Amino acid sequence: MQTKKDNIMPELNTWFTHPTGDPFSDIGGYVIKTLHQRFPDKDILGLIEYVTKIYVDKWKAKINPFFLNSKVTQPAFNAQKKIEETQKYFAALLNGTEKNDKGFCRITGQETLLFAAGRDNSILSGSSTFVNFHHTFDGGIMLSKEAIIRFHFVPLGCVYLLGKIALIHSNNQEITEFFAQTNCNLNLDAIAKGASEGILRSPCKSPGTALFRFVEKIVLDTKKELGQVIRVHSNNSMTLYHFTNFGASPEVSIYQVPAKVFDFHRAMQTSSLKKDWADFVNSHYRSSEYKKAQYQKETRRYEWEQKGGKGFIEESDYQNWSNPIYDKLIEDRSILRSFMYWSVENKLNFNIVEIYQQYIRNMKKETIAKIQEMAEFILNANDEQGVVKSIKALNNAKSSYLLRRFIINDIVIKYSKENEGILLTVEDYTEYLFPDSSSWQETRDVLLIAIFQKIHERKIKIEKEELITEETE
């Protein structure tokens, strides 16, 4: 004889939890999985009751960014009725007495009973009053009971970020699960300590920073937090959905760390590159509250002058500020000029620039090798004044023509007069330095960075103040 638990628990391991590709459904499913691991004796209706009581009793029904006029957020209901009506609705879904149809669920793909989903029980879907929004004039998106139930668990797997909800989803389901599980556990731990009044709040001041903080957590901290290492592959990407479903203006902004950026950032965490990359990125954090603060590489703090001495902010705090480097990486804008301006005064492992150009900008390794050779020649063939003159000429090369003329006159011809053989062949020139698929500006900027780094390596003292004065896009 089957018990109620026997009937429901097998479903908990399949349609309630398996990946679907829908970000909201997947987060909800992984929250269910996390709760089931904590409370193995609760059936799905018991888990629904458990989270509903959290929403109502602990969070005062403040889940409006997820659901509009749901049973939980309905202002006409008192606390007890919110819980009772929610349980009654989901029980009707589970036993099939709620109005339904038969077909394929739009999210799970299963052929089953379908129920109408609108803004009251799903996230960022159309309202039931706008029947022309839905297929065949249905009263909502027609979903399985499992898909709708999964939505109910989403709040425990998300965080508040700048007044909206942040949810991270990845093509690697282990990463998505880690995000949901981490937030769910943090929420539950805060509730257990009596320190939770609502959805977990992120300390980050921008979506870009939040995404990259999570990338670093995936790469560095998963073993410590989950007792295992996430199997990160070369094609992993992550997407942050920054949304609200509240009121008359539901909206969502989408930010993505594509696979190439994910791989690049992982490479930056290796021991030989991590410090130089961290100093470069740390110097670019920005906060409207601390406009006068300057990054100090020696202490890895932001400092500023104030009455009574210096004020300072530690790395654990400023790493939550916004950062244009992260924003550019997400928006697929080049950070090469930022590398260049940093290189004027700071030593930077040139491997960082090489990896960036190959991973992100698709520059050929042969191109980078030739640029390195040209930089080496410029330093060997010139005294300090000549090096400064070359740097200024390169920086003032505002067209492909001027850059080509510099390379021919100051490198190719000069080399041939002083050395046997040639430094650049026609193939080098056409295939690597100026191919149709590459940007001449990037060739110029990588050459400048290579020169500056060789200057730092050789401890050559030159006046740099007037070489490159301000960053331009």
Side-chain angles (χ1 to χ4, degrees), residues 306-413:
Q306 62 180 7
K307 290 182 179 179
K310 287 185 177 181
F312 59 86
I313 299 173
E314 299 291 350
E315 188 173 20
S316 57
D317 292 322
Y318 68 70
Q319 281 195 332
N320 292 318
W321 296 353
S322 62
N323 194 310
I325 299 301
Y326 293 152
D327 293 340
K328 288 178 181 179
L329 287 171
I330 289 173
E331 296 165 8
D332 198 25
R333 291 189 288 141
S334 176
I335 63 172
L336 193 58
R337 297 290 285 182
S338 300
F339 279 137
M340 188 180 71
Y341 284 94
W342 175 253
S343 293
V344 175
E345 296 292 344
N346 299 277
K347 187 175 180 180
L348 177 73
N349 190 323
F350 191 75
N351 286 339
I352 291 175
V353 180
E354 288 187 83
I355 294 170
Y356 172 74
Q357 286 301 114
Q358 290 182 64
Y359 279 38
I360 309 294
R361 309 301 295 180
N362 298 317
M363 182 175 276
K364 297 176 182 178
K365 62 181 181 180
E366 294 89 349
T367 302
I368 298 172
K370 284 298 169 185
I371 289 173
Q372 286 272 55
E373 288 183 36
M374 290 193 298
E376 187 73 20
F377 172 73
I378 288 171
L379 264 74
N380 291 337
N382 295 281
D383 57 15
E384 292 179 9
Q385 281 189 326
V387 172
V388 170
K389 182 179 178 182
S390 294
I391 291 173
K392 288 184 175 180
L394 280 169
N395 190 53
N396 291 328
K398 305 301 183 184
S399 69
S400 173
Y401 165 74
L402 290 175
L403 178 61
R404 291 169 191 266
R405 191 172 70 174
F406 172 84
I407 291 175
I408 292 172
N409 293 337
D410 291 64
I411 297 178
V412 175
I413 294 176

Side-chain angles (χ1 to χ4, degrees), residues 157-161 164-168 179 183 202 210 240-243:
C158 297
V159 294
Y160 252 127
L161 174 67
K164 297 180 185 177
I165 303 299
L167 176 155
I168 291 178
F179 176 78
N183 292 328
S202 170
L240 185 148
Y241 296 86
H242 196 212
F243 70 92

Side-chain angles (χ1 to χ4, degrees), residues 22 90 127 172 233 263 284-285 301 339 355 358 410 420:
D22 177 87
F90 284 115
S127 300
N172 181 338
H233 310 293
D263 291 343
H284 287 82
Y285 282 102
R301 301 189 304 196
F339 279 137
I355 294 170
Q358 290 182 64
D410 291 64
E420 293 183 4

